[in-house]
Amino acid sequence: MILARLILGLLSLSPMTGYDLKKHFDSSINHFWNADKAQIYRTLSQLVTSGLATVRTVPQENYPARQEHHITAAGRTALQDWLTGGLDRQPAREPFLGRIFFAGGLERDEIVALLAARRAEAEELHASYRTLRAELDDAALAERRGYLMAATLDHGIVHVESELSWLDRVEGNLP
């Protein structure tokens, strides 16, 4: 359900193919939602079947025709209802915390290695988010849509910084 609403949100920005949507997921909202290509195409098909999106074939020279998806009026209504409705609370699922929770039987150096691996991932993610943030231009940030998109990226940055701080505390206090 949430993936469908996120796709409708992206389609509300402009018509897109499944390939375009995957690129947008990877470059603009991956800091808070990830979807693989199969999930995107399956969800697009469901959106078309349910009348929330349409698909238009756009011929191209020297390339296969593009299957461009457009949000419908019903899709805009569904998106609006989701945006203004109750919050979607998702149960937390964090495999890394499962490892930490049960790591008490490991040797200290094994736990430190586990923390170091997570730190490396978090530092890479932090650098990626900071790069994306630096690429945002002032004109886009001055408009509400651009500002709110940047705010979600800022949330991701703060979240990663918090995790890095937490990793420092866990390692520093590890008995």
Side-chain angles (χ1 to χ4, degrees), residues 34-112:
N34 187 331
D36 65 36
K37 189 168 63 170
Q39 291 172 308
I40 291 170
Y41 280 94
R42 188 171 43 254
T43 304
L44 273 174
S45 177
Q46 292 166 352
L47 290 171
V48 169
T49 299
S50 63
L52 301 177
T54 59
V55 63
R56 185 173 68 114
T57 302
V58 179
Q60 301 183 103
E61 267 188 51
N62 301 324
Y63 294 101
R66 289 173 45 94
Q67 299 298 309
E68 196 174 75
H69 294 81
H70 298 254
I71 191 169
T72 63
R76 287 188 190 284
T77 299
L79 178 61
Q80 179 72 19
D81 291 347
W82 179 64
L83 292 172
T84 59
L87 297 180
D88 306 303
R89 297 304 288 164
Q90 297 291 315
R93 289 185 176 161
E94 182 52 68
F96 175 72
L97 291 180
R99 288 179 180 214
I100 294 299
F101 188 86
F102 293 109
L106 297 178
E107 295 296 325
R108 188 179 198 288
D109 63 328
E110 292 173 311
I111 297 168
V112 169

Side-chain angles (χ1 to χ4, degrees), residues 24-43:
H24 275 75
F25 265 87
D26 292 347
S27 67
S28 68
I29 66 173
N30 196 39
H31 58 280
F32 65 86
W33 200 273
N34 187 331
D36 65 36
K37 189 168 63 170
Q39 291 172 308
I40 291 170
Y41 280 94
R42 188 171 43 254
T43 304

Side-chain angles (χ1 to χ4, degrees), residues 127-159:
S128 170
Y129 290 173
R130 300 285 301 176
T131 299
L132 287 172
R133 186 63 169 92
E135 293 172 353
L136 298 175
D137 65 17
D138 291 338
L141 294 173
E143 295 181 19
R144 182 179 298 145
R145 177 178 285 166
Y147 170 78
L148 292 173
M149 288 177 173
T152 65
L153 186 53
D154 291 341
H155 178 274
I157 291 168
V158 169
H159 179 78

